[in-house]
Amino acid sequence: MTNFAINEIGLKIRNPFAGVYIPPSDAQKRLAVSIEDIRRIQAECFKRDDELRNIVALITDTGMRLAEAVGLHQDDLVLDADVPHVQVCEHPWRSLKTSNSHRVIPLVGASLWVAERIKQNGSAYAFPRYANGIKCNSNSASAALNKWIKQVAGISNVIHGFRHSFRDRLRAVS
C-alpha cells in the first residue's frame, strides 16, 4: 500500500518499510540445543564414529550449516597451521548461502577430532557418501541426522539447532 501511494503521488523517496520481514504467526521458532544435549550427542558421536555422527560432531563445535559441512573437501581442512581450522568456501558441487558465508572457523573439541579422522579417510571429500565433484546431497543427510538426534536428545532437537546453540555459546563468552 505504501509503495502504491509513493508511486501514485509521484514521491521521490524510498519506501521506509522496504525489507521489513514479518514472520507468519504460525512460524515455528527454532530452538537451540542445550549444552547438556550437545555433550550427550557428542559422546554418542565419539562412540559410533561413523560418517553421519562425524557430520554432527563437526557441526556442534563449528556452527557450520549442514550443507557447508557435508560439502567439505579435504583441502578445506587445515590441520598443520598454528590454529587448526576449516575454510568454508564455495565449490562446484556446493554453493554457499550468502557471500558472508565464506569464512575460516577454528577447529576445537569435537570438530578437531572429526577433522583428524576426515584427513585419514582417503577420499578427496570429507563426507563422500553425501558429496562428490558433481553434487552435495545435504537433504538426505538432514533426514537421517534429525531422526538420530531426536532419538538421542529428544524430539525438540534438530541439526539446525546446533547453529543456534553455537551462536548462543559465542555470545556467552564475549
Side-chain angles (χ1 to χ4, degrees):
M1 194 144 149
T2 304
N3 279 338
F4 178 77
I6 289 169
N7 289 333
E8 193 66 25
I9 298 170
L11 299 175
K12 302 292 182 208
I13 64 170
R14 182 179 176 270
N15 181 349
F17 300 107
V20 174
Y21 173 73
I22 301 171
S25 60
D26 62 345
Q28 289 183 339
K29 182 168 172 51
R30 294 190 189 229
L31 300 174
V33 180
S34 72
I35 194 65
E36 295 80 17
D37 286 339
I38 290 172
R39 297 297 175 236
R40 183 178 315 116
I41 290 166
Q42 286 176 335
E44 287 298 315
C45 290
F46 296 149
K47 274 193 237 176
R48 291 262 190 112
D49 191 13
D50 62 10
E51 193 169 10
L52 276 173
R53 266 47 67 164
N54 287 349
I55 294 168
V56 175
L58 179 67
I59 290 172
T60 62
D61 281 342
T62 61
M64 295 171 69
R65 293 178 181 95
L66 177 59
E68 292 171 343
V70 169
L72 287 175
H73 191 274
Q74 283 278 353
D75 295 342
D76 297 334
L77 300 168
V78 182
L79 302 184
D80 57 356
D82 289 340
V83 177
H85 60 276
V86 58
Q87 300 174 59
V88 180
C89 56
E90 193 165 334
H91 289 295
W93 58 90
R94 189 240 316 121
S95 60
L96 296 179
K97 186 171 182 178
T98 69
S99 59
N100 289 336
S101 295
H102 180 73
R103 61 203 186 282
V104 174
I105 304 171
L107 293 168
V108 297
S111 65
L112 180 57
W113 177 81
V114 170
E116 289 167 345
R117 280 165 167 55
I118 290 169
K119 282 295 202 177
Q120 298 168 358
N121 78 9
S123 172
Y125 304 96
F127 302 104
R129 179 175 173 184
Y130 297 103
N132 57 40
I134 301 167
K135 67 177 184 160
C136 171
N137 192 354
S138 60
N139 287 340
S140 62
S142 175
L145 291 172
N146 282 330
K147 182 179 177 183
W148 179 77
I149 289 167
K150 288 173 189 294
Q151 290 173 349
V152 174
I155 61 170
S156 63
N157 292 311
V158 294
I159 192 74
H160 193 75
F162 293 117
R163 192 163 164 78
H164 294 279
S165 299
F166 191 75
R167 178 200 58 209
D168 294 347
R169 288 161 58 198
L170 287 174
R171 285 182 179 154
V173 296
S174 58

